Amino acid sequence: MSQAHEPVLVYERIAANRRNTVLFLALFGILVALVAAYLAMYLAFIVFMFLSPSAQDLSQNQWRAMALPLLVSTIALLALMVSRYRHAAETALRFLGARPLAREEAQELWRTLENLCIGAGLPMPRLYLLEEAAPNAFAVGLDPERASLAVTRGMLALLDRRELEGVMAHELSHIGNDDIQLDTAVAVMLRTIRLPKPIAGMLLIGLVVTLIELPSLLFHDGQGKIEWIWLWLWLIPLYVLSWPLLGRFIQRAVSRQREFRADADAVLLTRNPEGLARALAKIAAAPQPEICKSGAMAHLFLVEPQQPGWLRLGLSTHPPVSERIDLLARMGTGIPPSVLEEASRVGAGFAYIPVKVEILPPAAEKAITLLEAAIQGIAVGVAVFVAAFILNVLLQAGKGGMEQLSYLLQWFGGVGAAIAFVVAAYRVGLRGWRLWLALGFAIGYLPYMGFFLLPDTQDPMTARRPGGDLWALVIEFIRAGGLILVTGAAGAIIGSKEFRNKLREIIKTLSGRSQR
Amino acid sequence: MAIVNIFLIALLTLVALLALWALLTYNGFIRARLRGREAWSAIDVQLKRRADLVPNLVETVKGYAGHERETLEGVIRARGVLQQAHGAAQAAAADGLLTQALGRLFALVEGYPQLRASENFIALQKELSDVEEKIAYARQFYNRNVLDYNTRIQTFPPSLIAGALGFEPVEFFEAAGLPAEVRVDFRQGVR
């Protein structure tokens, strides 16, 4: 392999990666700031409407009313992003369930990694182990000094020394090129903006139903003038729902080219493409149970991990493995195809120890006590309430023209959303008390939109009460939102094991007494 | 008047740009040289480690095959040469010598099954092969850095700056006269 044409050391690439990280974070900040600001402004607008004595006053002061929440939300968002970024590596590792790997557990791996680090002139990254059956590996960290490298148990079982060396070299190349800085930032930020499926289901139904409303939405004042500003209400949730897709685009753009380069650098390091090529062939042929709990982390891995649900249909974050193997086979003196075929055979026959893969989000610990269930319910309830709030805004927005039909559609939309919420919760895999929690939320949501049916209820948005007091507004919110929280918590409690056990005991005691 | 002004400004700008380029190039040299030095210390550490293993190895072998004095002394002598080597090329040559001497020693060990099976010997063997692998990687890294540095100071036009400020090419960790990749490895069979 001639070294003359390649920049021998990759400082140019590192500089490019650092630039890209800054760009990405800035772009991300802007993207999310839009929504955060919208929410904050909207809430402030409502408050302001209640407090202002007349409509005249309102139009003059509305920008002032919006400025403060905009500023506050931007600062809060920036603070959140900075803190997220600084803990990005630990967050990613914890989320994926990696634990530190001691030297005694994998002597050969440690030694191989040590030697490779000497060859690359990098400090030794911290080694982690993922108790997963699917063979894969990834690297995270903000810079080479603070990098971490994880392998799965499946990989340790499947690959021999030379192949492990190739894989380690690949990951080290990512570390050395500062690829991991951008990758880690992307992973953590994307996870931040990912809506839980039930809430996304809710918003989606609301959007679909109000699509019919769109024309009347635009002619809000009924005066024949298109009010583009109201389109904002509809676009924001749509935009929020498209984040996963947007995230995939970003991931794809970021990682494809760099996988090839990491492969090439790995060969430069090990002076032999065969190890990595064989490893890739084996891993590609091996059956891949689901490994990646979140699509946001997919681009960190060595090969594309299997992901839950609909994300499989989406864009891949890695170039196809066959292409990578082809490139490797053409390096140096070439690799005989029989070697690769043999590796594929071994990979296909890899009998993996089925590992129970936890598909619930790891933040949701197994709460078995009543108190824990209730607290969890309330905490999640706040998020649900915000989503319900947005949804309601959508459903009320189209008020021009056919009012009866409009109300009916909105009611169906609301009910549909509640049902979608529960169905989505079930499909995501929530069971037991969590599913009951979701059911509780859905039930609590229905009365919240009850003012569509009952003539006397007032909704915060359109019931402008000049000179109304703040208390009325607060009570309004508590009534609507509080109901959701209470029913949610009740659902969680009813569904929790402890409650059921206690219930059984009570029933036993009662039936025992009645028999005597 | 105006033309002279423009000319003057243009000239000054050109000089400023040249000075900037010279500065950046110089800094590039310094950084590359420092990287090379750091890479050398990595090799040095491993060479020392290897040299430290030799006495222990010699003692162990003496316990079973004490009469093979020629081979044992060859190893000790090679170690001595390595410890006295100055600079990368000499060190590489000495390293090659030591490798050859050790190769002869291990070939010898084949004939002493008791020695081969002894725990002490096996442990030493493992450590030795680990050190040699580390030396190989460290050499790779070092040579890459040296190549970078030498290329920088020898390509034109940076070579003008290098020449003016006294930057000399650095030696590779490669023994002249000895093929760089010769590694007589009899140990494959012993495992």
Side-chain angles (χ1 to χ4, degrees):
Chain A
M1 255 197 76
S2 76
Q3 289 184 339
H5 62 287
E6 266 275 313
V8 170
L9 297 161
V10 294
Y11 299 99
E12 296 88 1
R13 278 183 231 155
I14 291 174
N17 275 328
R18 295 222 173 110
R19 268 199 312 268
N20 286 342
T21 305
V22 172
L23 276 175
F24 167 74
L25 288 175
L27 183 68
F28 181 82
I30 293 172
L31 288 180
V32 180
L34 288 177
V35 180
Y38 163 70
L39 274 177
M41 281 199 303
Y42 191 78
L43 285 172
F45 193 63
I46 300 259
V47 174
F48 196 80
M49 265 202 321
F50 260 74
L51 298 178
S52 69
S54 71
Q56 264 286 351
D57 225 14
L58 181 66
S59 59
Q60 281 172 357
N61 291 321
Q62 63 184 352
W63 295 116
R64 219 170 358 128
M66 291 184 184
L68 186 63
L70 184 61
L71 188 68
V72 169
S73 69
T74 309
I75 292 177
L77 193 68
L78 278 175
L80 182 67
M81 275 180 60
V82 166
S83 121
R84 274 267 150 80
Y85 178 73
R86 288 206 347 212
H87 300 285
E90 297 95 68
T91 310
L93 284 167
R94 215 172 348 117
F95 178 73
L96 290 165
R99 68 165 177 86
L101 184 62
R103 190 182 186 128
E104 303 80 54
E105 291 177 69
Q107 297 254 14
E108 236 184 48
L109 186 70
W110 266 82
R111 219 157 5 117
T112 309
L113 190 59
E114 246 173 18
N115 296 350
L116 285 172
C117 287
I118 292 176
L122 288 170
M124 180 102 163
R126 284 188 299 237
L127 261 183
Y128 284 82
L129 179 69
L130 265 181
E131 295 281 0
E132 297 277 349
N136 218 325
F138 68 88
V140 287
L142 295 175
D143 55 41
E145 281 79 30
R146 295 179 281 174
S148 306
L149 209 160
V151 292
T152 61
R153 200 168 273 294
M155 171 168 277
L156 288 179
L158 177 62
L159 301 182
D160 70 30
R161 183 159 192 246
R162 281 270 161 263
E163 292 152 6
L164 270 176
E165 191 185 45
V167 170
M168 293 289 115
H170 175 102
E171 296 301 333
L172 265 184
S173 305
H174 273 315
I175 294 175
N177 289 343
D178 248 351
D179 282 344
I180 55 171
Q181 187 188 42
L182 183 56
D183 285 347
T184 309
V186 169
V188 170
M189 295 305 172
L190 286 185
R191 218 174 75 69
T192 309
I193 64 176
R194 201 167 281 275
L195 291 172
K197 282 210 171 67
I199 297 181
M202 220 168 158
L203 283 180
L204 194 61
I205 292 276
L207 271 179
V208 166
V209 166
T210 54
L211 198 54
I212 308 164
E213 299 275 334
L214 205 52
S216 58
L217 179 66
L218 291 177
F219 295 101
H220 192 261
D221 275 350
Q223 285 167 0
K225 194 166 67 113
I226 296 183
E227 306 246 355
W228 293 107
I229 193 77
W230 296 106
L231 200 59
W232 193 238
L233 287 172
W234 197 80
L235 282 179
I236 288 280
L238 181 68
Y239 168 65
V240 165
L241 279 175
S242 70
W243 268 342
L245 209 60
L246 214 69
R248 300 293 275 179
F249 272 118
I250 295 176
Q251 276 182 318
R252 188 160 202 254
V254 144
S255 65
R256 234 191 105 95
Q257 202 46 40
R258 294 176 330 157
E259 288 303 319
F260 285 127
R261 276 214 285 257
D263 283 345
D265 284 340
V267 175
L268 253 182
L269 188 56
T270 58
R271 297 155 297 164
N272 178 11
E274 201 173 302
L276 183 58
R278 281 200 335 241
L280 285 176
K282 272 190 182 175
I283 295 175
Q288 284 259 15
E290 187 175 299
I291 185 179
C292 191
K293 297 161 197 153
S294 162
M297 308 265 170
H299 58 282
L300 293 168
F301 286 83
L302 173 69
V303 295
E304 183 92 25
Q306 273 292 44
Q307 290 161 61
W310 66 277
L311 287 169
R312 266 188 221 135
L313 306 169
L315 310 157
S316 67
T317 50
H318 291 70
V321 177
S322 50
E323 226 180 290
R324 291 166 74 178
I325 297 180
D326 270 341
L327 260 176
L328 287 171
R330 279 189 265 141
M331 291 187 191
T333 51
I335 304 174
S338 58
V339 168
L340 293 172
E341 275 159 24
E342 170 72 25
S344 283
R345 248 188 351 96
V346 173
F350 181 54
Y352 59 97
I353 324 112
V355 172
K356 181 166 173 294
V357 176
E358 183 73 12
I359 51 176
L360 294 167
E365 325 232 19
K366 288 192 177 20
I368 46 173
T369 65
L370 288 173
L371 186 61
E372 281 178 8
I375 292 177
Q376 286 260 326
I378 291 173
V380 178
V382 173
V384 174
F385 177 57
V386 171
F389 190 71
I390 296 178
L391 186 59
N392 256 42
V393 168
L394 284 177
L395 295 178
Q396 300 159 35
K399 281 280 169 46
M402 311 181 286
E403 260 192 41
Q404 289 293 64
L405 181 62
S406 164
Y407 275 127
L408 211 59
L409 277 174
Q410 285 159 15
W411 196 87
F412 274 116
V415 172
I419 295 177
F421 183 73
V422 178
V423 169
Y426 182 81
R427 295 210 55 214
V428 159
L430 301 185
R431 296 286 185 276
W433 68 268
R434 291 187 190 92
L435 191 57
W436 281 87
L437 174 67
L439 194 60
F441 283 143
I443 293 175
Y445 176 69
L446 290 175
Y448 177 45
M449 15 161 313
F451 46 70
F452 287 128
L453 299 175
L454 310 173
D456 287 335
T457 47
Q458 295 160 330
D459 70 85
M461 168 81 171
T462 53
R464 297 183 183 199
R465 294 186 293 179
D469 55 320
L470 195 56
W471 265 122
L473 177 66
V474 170
I475 291 171
E476 186 74 33
F477 275 127
I478 289 178
R479 183 175 67 80
L483 186 61
I484 293 184
L485 296 183
V486 164
T487 51
I493 291 173
I494 292 175
S496 75
K497 281 211 181 92
E498 194 178 314
F499 179 83
R500 293 226 204 103
N501 289 341
K502 284 221 175 95
L503 201 63
R504 258 183 237 129
E505 277 175 35
I506 294 175
I507 292 177
K508 258 193 222 147
T509 327
L510 284 177
S511 61
R513 274 213 210 109
S514 67
Q515 272 179 8
R516 252 183 266 135
Chain B
M1 254 287 277
I3 298 178
V4 174
N5 271 349
I6 293 176
F7 181 68
L8 212 58
I9 291 173
L11 189 65
L12 284 173
T13 314
L14 189 65
V15 169
L17 284 175
L18 275 176
L20 186 67
W21 172 79
L23 180 68
L24 291 174
T25 315
Y26 172 76
N27 283 346
F29 291 163
I30 296 288
R31 267 188 231 116
R33 193 166 64 181
L34 283 175
R35 283 197 292 265
R37 289 212 182 119
E38 217 181 285
W40 173 251
S41 65
I43 295 186
D44 207 30
V45 162
Q46 302 304 332
L47 287 176
K48 283 203 172 57
R49 238 184 100 194
R50 193 190 203 199
D52 287 341
L53 282 174
V54 166
N56 208 346
L57 184 69
V58 166
E59 284 309 307
T60 311
V61 173
K62 258 199 199 151
Y64 293 79
H67 53 279
E68 305 276 4
R69 292 187 53 211
E70 214 180 278
T71 321
L72 287 171
E73 274 171 19
V75 171
I76 297 172
R77 242 181 300 127
R79 176 190 183 240
V81 171
L82 180 61
Q83 287 184 315
Q84 289 172 345
H86 283 300
Q90 274 192 14
D95 182 61
L97 268 176
L98 183 56
T99 308
Q100 280 190 333
L102 283 171
R104 280 192 289 270
L105 183 65
F106 280 104
L108 196 76
V109 164
E110 290 287 328
Y112 294 85
Q114 274 190 325
L115 172 59
R116 245 173 42 204
S118 91
E119 256 178 43
N120 208 3
F121 181 75
I122 292 176
L124 279 170
Q125 197 182 17
K126 240 182 159 176
E127 237 190 287
L128 202 62
S129 85
D130 179 48
V131 174
E132 278 164 9
E133 205 176 314
K134 286 188 159 70
I135 291 177
Y137 275 108
R139 156 200 262 133
Q140 189 187 334
F141 183 59
Y142 173 76
N143 284 344
R144 251 198 273 161
N145 280 285
V146 167
L147 179 67
D148 178 54
Y149 173 69
N150 287 351
T151 311
R152 276 176 200 246
I153 62 173
Q154 287 175 339
T155 47
F156 185 81
S159 56
L160 298 172
I161 312 252
L165 296 173
F167 283 92
E168 295 289 324
V170 172
E171 294 175 328
F172 286 95
F173 187 68
E174 240 164 39
L178 222 60
E181 286 305 309
V182 72
R183 294 197 34 185
V184 183
D185 200 9
F186 289 107
R187 266 152 280 138
Q188 293 287 11
V190 179
R191 225 168 308 189

